[in-house]
Amino acid sequence: TIYPALSATISASQSTIPAGSQDAFTVHVSGGSGSYEYDYYIGSYSSGWTTSNPYGYTFSSPGTYNVYAVVKDTVTGQTVQTNTITVTVVAKLVINSFTASPSTVTQGQSVTFSWSFSGGEPNYLVSISDSLGIISWSTYTSSTSGSQSFTMTTAGTDTVTLTVTSSDGQQASKTITVTINPPPSTYSVTFTES
């Protein structure tokens, strides 16, 4: 039996991916007998011969990885190499700290929120929101740390959330609680002479 010439290309589900995440590689084959095995080369890693297509691989470290596959026709023994693609693995976006100072205030006083984070690709959308509807703030920045003060105008237990979104599409959030006490009551005393 004479089969058409074997050819193959490879594609990735994501070309940029956070470290610790899995990417999937699909080999598109034409020609041959229709029965194939694949050996995926991802950086210095080789899968060995497998029938898996797509093939999942978890990237543990940031960096740039060249990826290609060799396809073998299991009937004819013919092999062919795909094109080479590049996958960029970026550090995972992590919020390292988010604090309120002070964390207990009287209504009408201000609280300074400070934060730091790492990973992801700049720039970053940094947003702060809360459960009492006092805060709705965001900024677009290249900095991975900052602070912002707000006047706490409503008494109660306020759940405040910091959300960071990096330009590569990662998102991380962290929540803290601030206690806002009502102002002390004032009494008016009137004296009357009898």
Side-chain angles (χ1 to χ4, degrees), residues 128-145:
I128 301 176
S129 60
D130 73 317
S131 60
L132 295 181
I134 301 169
I135 306 167
S136 179
W137 177 89
S138 64
T139 186
Y140 197 59
T141 179
S142 60
S143 175
T144 57
S145 63

Side-chain angles (χ1 to χ4, degrees), residues 24-105:
F25 301 100
T26 302
V27 177
H28 312 272
V29 186
S30 63
S33 68
S35 177
Y36 314 113
E37 287 185 342
Y38 313 88
D39 191 356
Y40 297 86
Y41 292 85
I42 304 165
S44 60
Y45 168 84
S46 169
S47 67
W49 292 112
T50 176
T51 57
S52 297
N53 187 19
Y55 183 80
Y57 181 82
T58 299
F59 290 91
S60 59
S61 301
T64 301
Y65 296 81
N66 291 326
V67 180
Y68 66 93
V70 175
V71 181
K72 178 172 67 176
D73 188 315
T74 59
V75 173
T76 66
Q78 182 186 2
T79 60
V80 66
Q81 182 176 315
T82 69
N83 56 307
T84 299
I85 59 175
T86 300
V87 174
T88 302
V89 181
V90 297
K92 186 176 181 179
L93 180 63
V94 176
I95 296 175
N96 300 314
S97 68
F98 180 43
T99 60
S101 179
S103 58
T104 300
V105 294

Side-chain angles (χ1 to χ4, degrees), residues 61 125 140 159 168:
S61 301
L125 177 65
Y140 197 59
T159 301
D168 56 299

